[in-house]
């Protein structure tokens, strides 16, 4: 089955929903007029592959850097946090990656990171000192055994807290041909686990399993719509077809580069959502077509200060070096896509996108040298 280009760039049809063609590609969304008047401020610079950001009381922030540094940002200054990160192995697409601050941080001082070691990708829970200068491992690991590629390829790993307090974790397939469809593997999945214990939630769609959805290639962003509870993932495609997916519990998203174990190695010529092999697989609500954007972190603009952009899904792009703004339908389809000029090729590769408690969007660049933590607001 031939994969189709998702966004056809000119004659685009407005008002589409999740209805799909037989190929699995969603109808192309309209190209919305780029919003104007965004204000982009540099909070701090001098970072290296800034991967994620979490928010602490009093306006402080924690930032993870892929090379194994944890940084506290306070009053426009970045300070390294002393923490035992000696086992973090920054290789290729792996290292110190995603971060979530626990909802009870005010009393517990806890946060959880996702990181690669020599043997696996693991989630580690930490406790930050009262002065923010150091952090101690509390649960090491909260969850281990996520597969890792020796090169670090397709390591994931984006944790996000769901509305019910569960921890959702987007993982990569580690360029293993069978991982995404193998329910015994934690690679190529979105996991749903307890933030306290790392165990599978009792009401998960597959009894006793941490797997929430499967058949993913490399999930780089997980965003929860605060009004509807819908969960969206941003996922890297191979040479074409990055995907924005709306999650359905227990569903298969159709990535199978091993073709059920019938093909050796890692065949990236297969469709991202293979409806020929998996007729019940869930098609993406948006695909990039060719070229890919390498979409990454995602967050909803859930504050009235955004005006007509309130409720829009903001998605950072690495290869595309831009911020993409998706206007969604109530059903979770993509109505239109816009790219603001203020973040279109202006700061290089963009990785994290998180909404702060002040309602501003915080975005990181990931160019390798002098990377930035940016604050984006509506001017």
């Amino acid at each position: 089955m031939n994969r189709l280009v998702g966004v056809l760039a000119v004659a685009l049809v407005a008002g589409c929903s999740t209805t799909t063609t037989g190929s699995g590609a969603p109808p192309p969304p309209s190209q919305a007029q780029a919003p104007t008047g965004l204000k982009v401020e540099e909070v701090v610079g001098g970072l290296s592959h800034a991967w994620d950001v979490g928010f602490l009381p009093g306006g402080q922030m924690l930032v993870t850097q892929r090379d194994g540094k944890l940084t506290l940002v306070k009053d426009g200054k970045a300070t390294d946090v002393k923490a035992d990160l000696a086992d973090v192995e920054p290789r290729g697409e792996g290292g110190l990656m995603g971060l979530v601050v626990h909802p009870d941080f005010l009393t517990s001082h806890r946060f959880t990171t996702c990181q690669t070691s020599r043997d696996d990708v693991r989630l580690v829970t930490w406790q930050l000192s009262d002065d923010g200068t150091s952090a101690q491992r509390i649960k090491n690991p909260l969850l281990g055994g996520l597969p890792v590629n020796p090169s670090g390829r397709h390591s994931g790993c984006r944790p996000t807290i769901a509305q019910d307090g569960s921890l959702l974790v987007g993982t990569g397939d580690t360029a293993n041909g069978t991982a995404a469809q193998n329910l015994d593997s934690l690679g190529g999945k979105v996991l749903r686990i307890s933030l306290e214990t790392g165990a599978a939630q009792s009401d998960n769609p597959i009894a006793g399993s941490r797997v929430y959805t499967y058949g993913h290639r490399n999930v780089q962003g997980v965003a929860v719509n605060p009004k509807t509870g819908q969960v969206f993932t941003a996922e890297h495609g191979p040479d074409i077809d990055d995907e924005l997916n709306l999650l359905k519990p227990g569903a298969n998203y159709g990535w199978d580069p091993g073709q059920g174990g019938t093909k050796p190695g890692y065949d990236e010529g297969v469709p991202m959502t293979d409806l020929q092999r998996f007729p019940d697989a869930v098609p993406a609500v948006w695909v990039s077509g060719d070229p890919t954007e390498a979409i990454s972190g995602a967050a909803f603009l859930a504050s009235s200060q955004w005006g007509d952009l309130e409720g829009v899904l903001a998605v950072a792009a690495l290869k595309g070096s831009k911020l993409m703004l998706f206007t969604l339908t109530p059903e979770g389809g993509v109505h239109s896509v816009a790219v603001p000029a203020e973040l279109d090729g202006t700061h290089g590769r963009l990785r994290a996108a998180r909404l702060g408690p002040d309602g501003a969007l915080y975005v990181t660049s990931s160019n390798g040298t002098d990377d930035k933590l940016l604050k984006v607001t509506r001017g």
Side-chain angles (χ1 to χ4, degrees):
M1 180 181 66
N2 293 327
R3 289 177 294 174
L4 300 182
V5 172
V7 176
L8 302 178
V10 181
L12 299 175
V13 180
C16 62
S17 67
T18 55
T19 304
T20 61
T21 66
S23 68
S30 65
Q31 192 72 32
Q33 183 176 356
T36 58
L38 292 191
K39 183 179 180 182
V40 181
E41 303 171 82
E42 179 181 323
V43 180
V44 293
L47 305 172
S48 176
H49 292 296
W51 197 286
D52 214 346
V53 57
F55 306 97
L56 310 181
Q60 300 179 91
M61 290 169 274
L62 286 174
V63 177
T64 52
Q65 299 179 65
R66 189 174 69 183
D67 61 2
K69 290 183 179 179
L70 180 66
T71 301
L72 180 72
V73 176
K74 181 180 180 180
D75 298 329
K77 296 181 180 180
T79 305
D80 287 343
V81 177
K82 295 179 181 180
D84 180 11
L85 293 162
D87 61 343
V88 174
E89 294 206 4
R91 309 190 296 263
E93 299 168 16
L96 185 59
M97 300 179 289
L99 164 77
V100 290
V101 174
H102 289 210
D104 65 352
F105 181 88
L106 196 61
T107 55
S108 72
H109 287 196
R110 293 189 179 189
F111 63 95
T112 294
T113 58
C114 193
Q115 55 202 64
T116 55
S117 71
R118 181 185 64 183
D119 301 318
D120 64 1
V121 178
R122 58 182 53 190
L123 293 159
V124 177
T125 296
W126 305 80
Q127 187 172 55
L128 191 67
S129 63
D130 289 342
D131 61 6
T133 61
S134 64
Q136 299 294 324
R137 296 190 185 208
I138 300 300
K139 295 182 180 178
N140 181 36
L142 173 68
L143 175 63
L146 282 71
V148 67
N149 186 299
S151 72
R153 192 178 182 206
H154 295 185
S155 296
C157 172
R158 189 73 64 178
T160 296
I161 298 174
Q163 281 189 327
D164 65 357
S166 299
L167 183 62
L168 300 170
V169 185
T171 72
D173 69 358
T174 68
N176 179 302
T178 61
Q181 293 295 326
N182 179 2
L183 293 178
D184 291 327
S185 170
L186 298 180
K189 309 294 190 297
V190 175
L191 310 178
R192 181 172 177 264
I193 62 176
S194 165
L195 183 61
E196 297 303 316
T197 68
Q201 295 290 49
S202 60
D203 59 346
N204 272 1
I206 303 171
S209 173
R210 296 180 174 89
V211 174
Y212 189 64
T213 59
Y214 63 103
H216 298 283
R217 183 175 181 269
N218 191 21
V219 177
Q220 289 287 297
V222 181
V224 180
N225 188 323
K227 289 188 176 181
T228 66
Q230 295 168 320
V231 180
F232 292 82
T233 58
E235 187 170 346
H236 284 185
D239 56 338
I240 65 172
D241 291 350
D242 290 338
E243 291 186 346
L244 188 66
N245 284 304
L246 172 60
L247 298 192
K248 298 180 179 180
N252 182 2
Y253 286 78
W255 174 245
D256 185 20
Q259 296 287 274
T262 63
K263 290 188 177 182
Y266 191 68
D267 179 8
E268 296 193 82
V270 302
M272 272 289 279
T273 303
D274 193 339
L275 294 177
Q276 183 174 337
R277 285 189 58 80
F278 307 107
D280 294 332
V282 179
V285 298
W286 173 87
V287 294
S288 66
D290 185 6
T292 52
E293 303 283 0
I295 53 178
S296 189
F300 279 90
L301 304 182
S303 169
S304 60
Q305 69 180 259
W306 290 97
D308 60 348
L309 294 180
E310 184 178 4
V312 163
L313 178 62
V315 180
L318 293 158
K319 179 181 173 182
S321 298
K322 65 186 67 167
L323 186 73
M324 307 180 73
L325 301 178
F326 292 82
T327 299
L328 306 178
T329 68
E331 298 79 18
V334 175
H335 178 278
S336 61
V337 185
V339 177
E342 295 87 349
L343 285 164
D344 186 2
T346 55
H347 294 81
R349 295 162 60 86
L350 302 181
R351 186 177 295 278
R354 298 282 193 181
L355 195 74
D358 58 356
L361 180 70
Y362 290 83
V363 176
T364 64
S365 67
S366 189
N367 301 304
T369 57
D370 195 23
D371 282 316
K372 319 288 187 185
L373 172 62
L374 304 171
K375 178 181 179 180
V376 185
T377 54
R378 193 73 187 267

